[in-house]
Amino acid sequence: MKINILKFRKISWRITFTYAVVFSAVVILLNFLVLYGVRFYLRQQAITQVDSIGKNIEGKILGVGDEQKDIYDKELVNDSVINSDINIKIADSSGKILNNSKNFNPQVSIKANPNNVMVVENEEKHLIVKNFVISDNGKIIGYVQVAKNMNREYSFLKLLFIVLLVADAIGMITSVITGFSISQKILKPIKEITNTAKRITATDLNVKINVGEVDDELSNLAKTFNEMIERLKISFEKQNQFVSDASHELRTPLSVINGYINLIDRWGKNDKEVLQESIVAIKNEVKYMTELVERLLFLARGDSGVIKLQKEVVNLNQLVEEIVKEGKLVAPNRNWSYNHKGRIDIFADGRLMKQMLRAIIDNSIKFTQEGGTINISVEKHLDKVKIVVKDNGIGIPREEIGKIFDRFYRVDKVRSKTTGGSGLGLSIVKWIVEAHNGEILVESELGKGTEVSVLLPM
Ligand SMILES: Nc1ncnc2c1ncn2[C@@H]1O[C@H](COP(=O)(O)OP(=O)(O)O)[C@@H](O)[C@H]1O
Ligand SMILES: [Mg+2]
């Protein structure tokens, strides 16, 4: 029993079942209509026949037409009986039977229910009977009873019923078979998708589903599925790239540290100069590695959605002022300027805002010569806040601007070695800006300077 229920849970069976039930219901309903329609028609036919025979006899007795026949006349009955399905009785005014065609015996009193159609139905008899009262000037002359035996018609109906029943059975079986085969056909691509999905593993995303030529819902599903696999593939590749880049970035400072340790091991124990140089270098590399690991951690946590924004009302002017003050301390030989009009508050994560602005300004410091200018401005822009950091540093080649947000991307790797960047700063900036539903735009010209604009909702 349980297996059966489970089986019907399958879509193919549900489709088949629904299809068969609806189809059968329609067919059965149609058959009932046909049977009842035919029965009604046949009965109506019989009533008309009975009526016309009765009226005819009545006319003859009363002499309405050109021939008149006496109520005792045997021919009245004999002439009117067309076949053995019709039985006619004629009685006088007292109800005494004068004439009876005796084709069959209706067993209905000749005086019963005058001038109304009677339907006599029981197991072996199906009769239509009508009694006619013959009266002349209000005086009853006699009675005529016309009865029609409906057995022949009922046999026909029975046969019709059996034929329809057989047709129904064939129809139902066919509907189950077609329903099943149609559902199998429809669901075939879904099975294919399921099988393909089973083959997908993290290491093998090189599977594709056959989309097929017809542009229907299922081919759409297959297309969507293929696109999803493609996106996953890209994302996996990115992730792999990220991990390998990160390892590579970490290996360089480690080998530097290793080199200095070997140096100390060999000469440094006695050579103060070598020792001092090594300590400074190792300190630098450790600082760089610590920063790098922190950034990697930030991006990894950002990717997995662990970082929750702690939004609050932040006084943006104050925040920028603090960062400019810090910048001035780090790079006193740049010309700093900060423009703003009035106080601007922003609903954002203050800590992340600081981190973002620091990374942008850090770049401006790094890529601007001594004596260069760094200009920061904050202004309202419709319902947004626009923060612009502009420098007159070395700039970025036009074709590279699009890539600077990529992880580990540095325009000039050799130069970056001296500036100490890891190429993750702007990736983090982008993550923070997007987490706040903002936008970031970079305009730059090689040798002239760079302008970074951040647009944030208030
Ligand atoms: N203000 C700027 N002027 C010139 N180049 C810039 C500026 N900001 C970013 N860049 C370029 O974009 C690259 C990526 O920046 P970022 O992600 O912050 O990495 P990093 O600062 O660690 O090198 C930098 O290496 C640099 O080549
Ligand atoms: Mg940077």
Side-chain angles (χ1 to χ4, degrees), residues 216-248:
D216 56 12
E217 289 89 339
L218 286 169
S219 76
N220 259 342
L221 175 64
K223 255 188 241 161
T224 313
F225 192 84
N226 284 341
E227 282 161 16
M228 185 194 75
I229 297 177
E230 200 52 45
R231 280 199 302 274
L232 280 178
K233 214 166 119 185
I234 291 169
S235 153
F236 269 122
E237 274 161 13
K238 260 192 182 165
Q239 205 65 34
N240 277 342
Q241 189 63 41
F242 182 53
V243 171
S244 99
D245 286 348
S247 319
H248 188 81

Side-chain angles (χ1 to χ4, degrees), residues 363 366-367 391 395-396 404 409-411 421-423 425-426 450:
N363 283 345
K366 266 200 307 199
F367 302 106
D391 64 56
I396 306 162
I404 59 170
Y409 192 83
R410 281 159 291 192
V411 172
S422 58
L426 288 180
T450 306

Side-chain angles (χ1 to χ4, degrees), residues 58-201:
E58 186 182 28
K60 280 179 184 168
I61 294 169
L62 295 176
V64 178
D66 23 65
E67 59 173 327
Q68 190 186 7
K69 291 222 159 78
D70 193 80
I71 198 164
Y72 297 96
D73 197 331
K74 269 207 170 358
E75 284 194 358
L76 263 181
V77 171
N78 295 344
D79 283 357
S80 301
V81 175
I82 317 155
N83 57 40
S84 60
D85 286 349
I86 302 284
N87 191 70
I88 299 172
K89 283 185 193 172
I90 296 177
D92 63 13
S93 57
S94 69
K96 190 182 147 224
I97 303 293
L98 304 174
N99 233 321
N100 186 349
S101 65
K102 285 196 176 151
N103 282 341
F104 55 88
N105 186 11
Q107 288 176 317
V108 175
S109 158
I110 201 160
K111 283 177 152 181
N113 205 2
N115 295 326
N116 281 319
V117 176
M118 286 173 276
V119 179
V120 179
E121 296 223 50
N122 55 46
E123 227 116 281
E124 65 268 25
K125 262 196 287 189
H126 306 278
L127 304 177
I128 301 285
V129 184
K130 189 168 178 181
N131 290 333
F132 297 85
V133 185
I134 317 291
S135 51
D136 196 10
N137 288 329
K139 188 172 161 265
I140 293 172
I141 306 169
Y143 297 93
V144 175
Q145 182 185 70
V146 183
K148 180 169 167 61
N149 188 347
M150 297 291 285
N151 279 352
R152 214 193 291 243
E153 280 83 350
Y154 270 73
S155 300
F156 169 71
L157 280 176
K158 257 185 213 157
L159 187 68
L160 185 65
F161 178 72
I162 290 166
V163 169
L164 289 175
L165 211 65
V166 171
D168 284 0
I170 293 172
M172 279 180 205
I173 292 167
T174 321
S175 77
V176 170
I177 293 169
T178 32
F180 188 69
S181 73
I182 287 174
S183 66
Q184 289 295 309
K185 218 171 171 179
I186 291 175
L187 296 173
K188 199 176 148 241
I190 293 183
K191 270 189 193 151
E192 208 179 306
I193 293 174
T194 312
N195 288 337
T196 311
K198 276 184 191 155
R199 275 197 319 204
I200 295 175
T201 60

